[in-house]
């Protein structure tokens, strides 16, 4: 808490030494005068020679604390994407995937990415992906400091692959790794991150593991939800109630929803409302590979929660037009500098475009994407024209007035 500084002004009054009395002399005789009248005589008070009292100076209230959060969706590294960035023999450089977006990420206090594919040091394709460790270097270089590993592909390369991935990201300078853990102690510890004096808490869940399961003796290794909605709700409730008192702002990553569908399904909506009722502040959703809306939810008690149902793909080699359009969530928060109460939230989504030509992949801001680039895109032309107009229309349809063309 901030304390005001009050300055008091104390004035000390001091007296001098008494002078010696003068020699007494005889007064001259008094001449008779006219009798005094009865008129009142007004005596003016002497002028105040003391300096005026000063008011104690006031201290300006401290400025609110500003925090910025950015987030992107699925970093879905098909082998073609990986091979465009190098080779096992020569090494890999994944920075071209991020070069057009990293300037927007710059300056974020929290920059989140959903690392869909585990980083095992290998190159493997759908349906059981794997990617080189150098992806983590590119993520850090682009400015990301929080990554999620709880996806439906977390167990693609088994326990050994997940251990490799966790060791690799643990060796890089990420502030937080969500959804998968090397030890039971780590799985049970709250993930808390302090930025600008504000404590952020994190939880993460995936709906499933593509038919795989966590190791029988290590069920804590991945934050995966089960089949029963009642059991899932009970787990989510217990987890949120444990971490909520420890943080000022709570973020939950949700790998959920139906692939290639632009609207959230019933499970997403019911789980989102549960999270809102539990006073979560922000949900970051991913998995459908396409954009879904950004919405505000409110609980019966009046708590408001921001929910990004799906950020779509950040990069991939998928071949549906709609999977080329992703989003960058941009949230600006202000907190009271004394109480750390949340004062304001300013949020929107910057549309992104995955672009690929033969042997080259990158992601652009939609605002910077041209029809000429769209014409050069190597996506199979199995539908209507792939164009800037198509992308603009889809972004507007899904995101409405939450679109950010520039920040």
């Amino acid at each position: 808490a901030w304390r005001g500084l009050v300055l008091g002004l104390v004035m000390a009054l001091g007296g001098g030494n008494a002078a010696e009395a003068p020699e007494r002399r005889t007064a001259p005789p008094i001449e008779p005068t006219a009798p005094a009248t009865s008129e009142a005589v007004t005596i003016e008070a002497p002028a105040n020679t003391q300096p005026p009292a000063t008011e104690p100076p006031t201290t300006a209230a401290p400025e609110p604390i500003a925090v910025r959060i950015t987030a992107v969706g699925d970093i879905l590294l098909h082998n073609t994407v990986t091979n465009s960035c190098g080779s096992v023999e020569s090494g890999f450089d994944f920075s071209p995937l991020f070069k057009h977006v990293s300037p927007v990420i710059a300056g974020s206090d929290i920059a989140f990415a959903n690392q869909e594919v585990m980083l095992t040091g290998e190159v493997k394709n759908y349906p059981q992906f794997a990617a080189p460790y150098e992806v983590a270097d590119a993520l850090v270089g682009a400015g990301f400091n929080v990554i999620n590993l709880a996806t439906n592909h977390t167990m693609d390369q088994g326990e050994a692959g997940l251990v490799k991935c966790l060791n690799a990201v643990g060796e890089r300078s990420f502030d937080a790794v969500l959804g998968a853990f090397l030890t039971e102690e780590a799985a049970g510890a709250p993930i808390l991150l302090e930025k600008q004096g504000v404590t952020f808490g994190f939880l993460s869940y995936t709906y499933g593991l593509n038919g795989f399961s966590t190791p029988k003796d290590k069920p804590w290794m991945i934050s995966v939800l089960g089949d029963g909605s009642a059991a899932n709700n009970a787990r989510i409730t217990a987890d949120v109630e444990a971490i909520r008192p420890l943080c000022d702002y709570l973020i939950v990553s949700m790998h959920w929803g139906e692939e290639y569908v632009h609207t959230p399904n019933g499970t997403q909506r019911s789980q989102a409302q549960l999270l809102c009722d539990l006073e979560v502040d922000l949900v970051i959703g991913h998995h459908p590979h396409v954009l879904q809306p950004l919405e505000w939810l409110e609980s019966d008690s009046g708590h408001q929660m921001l929910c990004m149902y799906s950020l779509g793909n950040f990069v991939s080699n998928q071949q549906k037009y709609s999977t080329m359009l992703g989003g960058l969530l941009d949230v600006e928060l202000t907190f009271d500098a004394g109480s750390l109460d949340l004062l304001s939230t300013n949020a929107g989504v910057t549309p992104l475009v995955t672009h690929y030509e033969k042997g080259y992949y990158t992601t652009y801001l939609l605002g910077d994407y041209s029809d000429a680039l769209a014409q050069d895109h190597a996506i199979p032309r199995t539908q209507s024209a792939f164009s800037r107009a198509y992308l603009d229309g889809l972004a507007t349809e899904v995101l409405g007035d939450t679109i950010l063309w520039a920040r």
Side-chain angles (χ1 to χ4, degrees):
W2 293 80
R3 296 181 179 174
L5 299 179
V6 180
L7 302 177
L9 176 63
V10 179
M11 302 188 61
L13 301 177
N17 294 328
E20 293 183 3
E23 181 181 353
R24 182 179 297 275
R25 295 181 182 179
T26 304
I30 300 174
E31 296 292 332
T33 59
T37 65
S38 60
E39 290 182 8
V41 178
T42 300
I43 301 176
E44 293 185 2
N48 185 2
T49 59
Q50 297 295 325
T54 58
E55 294 291 331
T58 58
T59 302
E63 291 292 322
I65 297 169
V67 178
R68 181 169 176 244
I69 300 169
T70 51
V72 301
D74 305 341
I75 298 174
L76 182 56
L77 298 173
H78 293 87
N79 63 335
T80 50
V81 180
T82 297
N83 291 333
S84 76
C85 296
S87 67
V88 174
E89 294 75 23
S90 63
F92 293 91
D93 177 10
F94 290 89
S95 61
L97 303 180
F98 304 99
K99 68 179 183 179
H100 300 293
V101 177
S102 58
V104 183
I105 298 295
S108 302
D109 296 282
I110 294 170
F112 169 102
N114 178 53
Q115 183 51 53
E116 185 83 18
V117 175
M118 296 304 100
L119 310 180
T120 67
E122 305 160 287
V123 181
K124 296 195 176 181
N125 199 26
Y126 177 85
Q128 291 174 245
F129 293 101
Y133 301 133
E134 289 89 341
V135 175
D137 298 319
L139 285 166
V140 171
F144 294 99
N145 60 356
V146 176
I147 62 167
N148 174 64
L149 297 180
T151 79
N152 55 311
H153 292 286
T154 307
M155 286 295 290
D156 278 6
Q157 301 304 318
E159 179 182 351
L162 179 55
V163 168
K164 289 179 183 179
C165 182
L166 284 165
N167 283 328
V169 298
E171 292 168 359
R172 274 72 177 180
S173 58
F174 294 107
D175 289 339
V177 177
L178 312 181
F181 312 94
L182 281 172
T183 67
E184 187 171 6
E185 181 182 12
I191 298 177
L192 302 170
L193 183 59
E194 185 175 310
K195 294 293 180 181
Q196 311 290 346
V198 180
T199 301
F200 291 83
F202 296 88
L203 292 169
S204 174
Y205 303 96
T206 177
Y207 74 92
L209 297 169
N210 283 357
F212 297 106
S213 58
T214 54
K216 290 183 179 179
D217 59 338
K218 299 174 182 175
W220 41 262
M221 201 168 188
I222 305 167
S223 296
V224 58
L225 297 173
D227 294 329
S229 60
N232 290 340
N233 290 351
R235 176 181 176 180
I236 291 170
T237 299
D239 290 347
V240 173
E241 289 179 345
I243 197 172
R244 179 70 268 192
L246 307 179
C247 58
D248 303 303
Y249 192 91
L250 180 55
I251 301 170
V252 178
S253 167
M254 295 295 288
H255 203 69
W256 59 0
E258 296 179 39
E259 291 184 336
Y260 317 118
V261 177
H262 289 287
T263 54
N265 63 22
T267 299
Q268 285 173 279
R269 290 201 177 276
S270 63
Q271 289 179 341
Q273 189 59 55
L274 171 64
L275 292 167
C276 179
D277 294 342
L278 293 169
E279 299 193 351
V280 168
D281 296 297
L282 173 63
V283 169
I284 302 174
H286 30 84
H287 170 66
H289 304 305
V290 296
L291 274 177
Q292 292 183 351
L294 173 65
E295 294 181 355
W296 281 101
L297 280 70
E298 186 168 343
S299 70
D300 290 340
S301 66
H303 177 77
Q304 293 184 322
M305 182 188 81
L306 190 62
C307 183
M308 184 71 229
Y309 282 103
S310 174
L311 283 165
N313 289 333
F314 179 82
V315 68
S316 78
N317 188 50
Q318 292 189 313
Q319 300 188 0
K320 294 179 181 290
Y321 283 12
S322 59
T323 62
M324 296 299 100
L325 183 68
L328 186 152
L329 176 66
D330 202 329
V331 182
E332 293 178 344
L333 307 171
T334 60
F335 296 86
D336 183 271
S339 66
L340 298 183
D341 290 337
L342 181 63
L343 300 177
S344 68
T345 301
N346 182 19
V349 181
T350 300
L352 306 176
V353 184
T354 296
H355 179 83
Y356 56 82
E357 302 176 31
K358 186 176 181 180
Y360 178 73
Y361 291 76
T362 192
T363 297
Y364 287 92
L365 306 182
L366 177 56
D368 296 335
Y369 199 67
S370 65
D371 269 323
L373 283 168
Q375 290 301 312
D376 290 339
H377 202 299
I379 193 166
R381 297 317 203 258
T382 56
Q383 306 173 40
S384 59
F386 184 79
S387 64
R388 171 66 191 267
Y390 163 81
L391 295 165
D392 285 349
L394 182 58
T396 302
E397 179 184 346
V398 176
L399 298 173
D401 60 6
T402 66
I403 288 180
L404 286 176
W405 293 110
R407 185 57 119 180

